[in-house]
Amino acid sequence: MSVARSAPPLRPSPRRGPGLRARLTLLATGLVAAVSALLLWLGWMLVGNVVAGVPRLPAGGRVRLGDVEVPAEQLGVALRTAAREQVLVVGGVAFVAVVLAAAVLAWTVTGRVLRPLHEVTASARRLSAESLDERITLSGPRDEVAELADTFDAMLDRLQTAFDSQRRFVANASHELRTPLAVIRTELDVTLTDPDADADELRRMAAVLREAAARAERLVESLLLLARTDGAELAGRERVDLNEVAARARRGVEAEAQARSVRITCRGEPVFVLGDPALLERVAGNLLENAVRHNVDGGWVEVSTTTAGRAAMLRVSSSGPLIDPDQVDALFDPFRRAGVQRTARTGAGLGLSIVRAAVTAHGGRVTAEPLDSGGLAIAVVLPTA
C-alpha cells in the first residue's frame, strides 16, 4: 500500500511593508503637505498682522462690514478675523489640491524612475543555470539605476563564466575518471570470462588494476587539493624559504629525471615568504614534475629563486616541445597538458591548475612563456616575508 506524500508547504514570504514606490510617494507627499501647511500658517499670521495695522476709529460709531455692523473701535479685530477666515478657506482648498497633485505626480514620476529596477528584478527572476546569457543592457542616461544594471550584467558575465568553467571541469573530471574505471572493468571482464586463466594471468590483471586504481587515486587527490585551494583563504602562514622548498622538490623528481637523462640545475639564494609550507612545496613539486615529465629525453631543467624589492620569484625553465604562445594560458586550465594527449598516463592534468590556485591563495601570481628553442618557463611571484 503506497501512501501519497503531500508537497511541502510553501515558505511564506516575510512581510516587508509598502514598496519603494509607495514609500517615495508618501515621503514626497508628506514633505509637500508639511511645506504647504507651513506656508498656510505663515499666510494666516501675515494677514492677521497686516490687518491689525488698520487705524483705530473713534469710539461710539458703527461701521458696516459686509452685511454686519460692528462698533467702530472693533473694526480692526473684525477685519483681521474675516481676513484670516478667508485665508483658511481659500488656503485649505489650495492645500488639498496641492497635496493631491503632489501625490499623483510623485506616484507617476517614481513609477517611471523605478521602471528600470523592475526590469532588473524581472531579469533576475527569469535567470537560471540555462538562461545566464540574458542581459539587461539598459539604455538611457548613465544614472545610478543604469550603474546598477551594468553591475548586474557584469555579475551575470562572471556567473556565466563560472558555470561554464564548472561544466567543463565536471565533464573533464568524469572523462578522466572513466578511463581507469573502464580499464578495470575491461580487465575484470576479460579475465573472468577466460576459463583457462592461470595464476600468471591473474597477477597480470592485478598489476593492471593496481595501476588503474593508483591513477584514479592520484586524480581524486588532485581534485580534492584543487577544491580545497581554489578560492580559499590560508588557515595559517609561516616563514618559508623558497630555495629550500625547491631543493626538496628536486630530490622528489631526481629518480625520474635520471631515468630520462634530464639534467636539473638549481641556483639562487635563500628567499623567504609567508605562507603554507605544504602548499608551497606542492607548488614547487608540481612545477618540477611537469618540467621533467613534459621534457625530452636528455633535456634540461633550470630552477632559480630571486628577489626584486618586495617580491620573491621562483622560476622553473625546461626544454621540451615547441608550444604555441596562444595556448600557454590554457595550460593552467584543469586537465590540460603541455604537448601530450588528454589520455596520456602521465599525470592528471591538474598540476598547473593547483599551482595557480595555491599561488593566488598566497596573494601572488604565476606567469608562463614558451621558449624559442622549445619548452616552457614558469615564474611564480610571491610577496616576501
Side-chain angles (χ1 to χ4, degrees):
M1 178 179 180
S2 60
V3 180
R5 296 184 179 180
S6 59
L10 296 177
R11 182 179 180 181
S13 58
R15 302 184 63 181
R16 301 177 181 176
L20 182 59
R21 185 180 185 183
R23 292 199 298 269
L24 290 177
T25 301
L26 292 175
L27 178 61
T29 305
L31 290 177
V32 171
V35 173
S36 300
L38 178 62
L39 292 177
L40 180 60
W41 178 76
L42 291 176
W44 182 79
M45 292 290 296
L46 182 61
V47 168
N49 293 335
V50 169
V51 176
V54 174
R56 184 181 298 275
L57 298 179
R62 299 186 68 84
V63 178
R64 178 176 294 276
L65 186 61
D67 298 334
V68 180
E69 289 187 357
V70 298
E73 64 275 12
Q74 298 294 327
L75 177 61
V77 177
L79 287 175
R80 183 172 61 181
T81 302
R84 284 182 169 177
E85 291 178 355
Q86 189 71 16
V87 168
L88 289 177
V89 172
V90 178
V93 174
F95 174 81
V96 174
V98 169
V99 171
L100 291 177
V104 174
L105 183 62
W107 181 262
T108 304
V109 172
T110 53
R112 295 179 61 88
V113 171
L114 296 178
R115 185 178 302 168
L117 291 180
H118 294 305
E119 296 180 7
V120 175
T121 304
S123 299
R125 289 175 177 172
R126 289 194 305 268
L127 286 179
S128 65
E130 289 73 24
S131 61
L132 286 176
D133 56 340
E134 293 188 16
R135 297 295 182 270
I136 300 175
T137 59
L138 185 66
S139 59
R142 297 291 89 188
D143 53 9
E144 289 78 3
V145 177
E147 183 179 358
L148 174 62
D150 293 341
T151 304
F152 190 78
D153 287 342
M155 181 191 68
L156 291 180
D157 292 336
R158 294 191 297 270
L159 284 177
Q160 186 176 15
T161 302
F163 270 86
D164 293 341
S165 176
Q166 184 185 38
R167 289 192 185 99
R168 290 193 301 268
F169 182 84
V170 172
N172 292 332
S174 302
H175 177 83
E176 295 291 335
L177 285 172
R178 187 184 297 117
T179 301
L181 293 178
V183 171
I184 293 174
R185 181 171 182 177
T186 301
E187 288 293 329
L188 288 174
D189 291 341
V190 171
T191 304
L192 292 177
T193 56
D194 185 6
D196 300 328
D198 54 7
D200 293 337
E201 180 66 18
L202 293 178
R203 289 191 181 94
R204 185 201 63 80
M205 180 196 69
V208 174
L209 296 184
R210 182 177 182 180
E211 181 183 354
R215 180 183 177 186
E217 183 180 3
R218 290 193 300 268
L219 176 59
V220 171
E221 289 177 354
S222 299
L223 289 172
L224 291 176
L225 179 59
L226 181 60
R228 289 195 303 264
T229 308
D230 194 10
E233 294 291 337
L234 296 180
R237 295 177 183 266
E238 300 179 12
R239 187 178 174 89
V240 182
D241 184 4
L242 286 183
N243 194 25
E244 183 180 350
V245 168
R248 287 198 296 267
R250 175 184 178 176
R251 291 192 292 269
V253 298
E254 193 70 36
E256 186 175 356
Q258 291 178 358
R260 300 189 58 191
S261 301
V262 175
R263 184 181 71 260
I264 301 179
T265 304
C266 293
R267 57 184 176 85
E269 56 188 13
V271 176
F272 292 95
V273 297
L274 288 178
D276 188 324
L279 280 182
L280 292 177
E281 289 184 8
R282 188 67 269 168
V283 168
N286 284 1
L287 292 179
L288 282 172
E289 287 175 2
N290 281 353
V292 172
R293 292 175 181 175
H294 303 309
N295 213 315
V296 294
D297 293 339
W300 54 268
V301 176
E302 292 184 357
V303 183
S304 63
T305 54
T306 56
T307 57
R310 294 182 176 274
M313 183 173 67
L314 170 64
R315 180 182 174 89
V316 178
S317 305
S318 62
S319 58
L322 291 174
I323 300 176
D324 187 355
D326 296 335
Q327 300 297 324
V328 172
D329 292 338
L331 296 178
F332 291 92
D333 295 337
F335 307 105
R336 294 297 297 269
R337 304 182 181 90
V340 297
Q341 298 297 325
R342 281 178 43 87
T343 55
R345 293 180 178 271
T346 55
L350 293 173
L352 292 182
S353 299
I354 295 174
V355 168
R356 182 176 59 182
V359 171
T360 302
H362 283 81
R365 67 181 187 277
V366 57
T367 59
E369 58 179 353
L371 302 179
D372 296 336
S373 58
L376 192 67
I378 300 179
V380 172
V381 181
L382 298 170
T384 56

